[in-house]
Amino acid sequence: MSSSCATVPHLAGSEWPAANNLFNSAIKIRPYRNRCGLSRRDFATKGIVAASASVIPSTLAPQPAQGLERLPFKKDGYKFWTWRGHKIHYVEEGEGFPIVLIHGFGASAFHWRYNIPELAKKYKVYAVDLLGFGWSEKALVDYDALVWRDQVADFLKEIVKEPTILVGNSLGGFTALVAAEAMQQQVVGIALLNSAGQFGSPDDATTTETEDSPLQKFLVKPLKEVFQRIVLGFLFWQAKQPARVESVLKSVYKNTANVDDYLIESITKPADDPNAGEVYYRLMTRFMSNQRKYTLDSVLSKLSCPLLLVWGDLDPWVGPAKANRIKEFYPNTSIVNLQAGHCPHDEVPELVNKALVDWLSTLPSTSIAPQSV
């Protein structure tokens, strides 16, 4: 998930609270702490099935939140782009200066359902499904932060082709940062909503790789993989249960009015793709084991563009302390604090839309000025 430390799988974003206390009490898994401060066990048990949050029934027709227009659901998706031989889904609406929206772990472009129509009144809005999520292909690749960084960077080169603002929630936030690092000439601003990623620590610099012994290579690792597949297979099934999903969502949305059938079904509906289970396994295991060298400080130190933090201060996973630390480290930062949880763009979309438009209007480049409606 993000070039750096993605957060835990989130419906719509990332860092889930304990979603399986019963299972945790029965099976002990030795914790491996990643840079997010989450263990591999945390990541696996708190997630809502990344690979299966893809397509929702066309019969769902929730009412717009707070009177806002909602992106119409299209059963077969909007547009598709072929990237490295893989099918990538994206939404494109509006005219004007381009903004690219990047969802969190387990979600899709449709998690921006109340933001796309409003922002598209003044800007050209893209929302892309990261590889392995939403309507994008459930590719059997080795998932790490660089996969999504490269995908977004190439999306900017091949589809957007203009100076751009990146906006990301949770995993999508860190993905936006590392993509901006790779595309500094094209990315002129970044907005993060309760972003994933952690600052580095001195202990990480002293970590060294050691060669596996024959016992580890030929016995311990194979047995570990078998155990992981059993555990994660169970979690894959459990995390999709509607009651579990609803409970977790309501724990991270301060105002739960938008935890509706559309949202729940978009996470629980099993992916038809036969690769869904294997993608989930790879995301839960391979991704979490290779995140140590990507940190917020290492990425931010290479950037210079304006940064906006739109932060749900009531987020039980990523609180306001992280936003404050980012601003301390990166002075070219503005903060908008909201009384919301982990996914403010879906919980209080009208406030997030206003924060984004207000910030965009202050950026120095005249080309970013909103287009008349």
Side-chain angles (χ1 to χ4, degrees), residues 194-221:
N194 295 65
S195 178
Q198 292 292 323
F199 286 88
S201 67
D203 293 340
D204 296 320
T206 61
T207 302
T208 57
E209 296 291 334
T210 58
E211 186 176 350
D212 292 336
S213 67
L215 179 63
Q216 290 174 318
K217 184 176 182 180
F218 297 108
L219 180 61
V220 175
K221 283 193 171 182

Side-chain angles (χ1 to χ4, degrees), residues 9 39-47 231-232 235 280 284:
S39 70
R40 196 174 298 173
R41 175 183 64 189
D42 294 332
F43 191 83
T45 60
K46 296 176 184 177
V231 170
L232 291 173
L235 293 174
Y280 180 78
M284 295 300 101

Side-chain angles (χ1 to χ4, degrees), residues 268-289:
T268 58
K269 187 180 188 309
D272 294 328
D273 194 308
N275 290 341
E278 179 63 19
V279 168
Y280 180 78
Y281 173 77
R282 294 185 183 203
L283 288 166
M284 295 300 101
T285 56
R286 303 182 188 185
F287 174 77
M288 290 301 291
S289 66

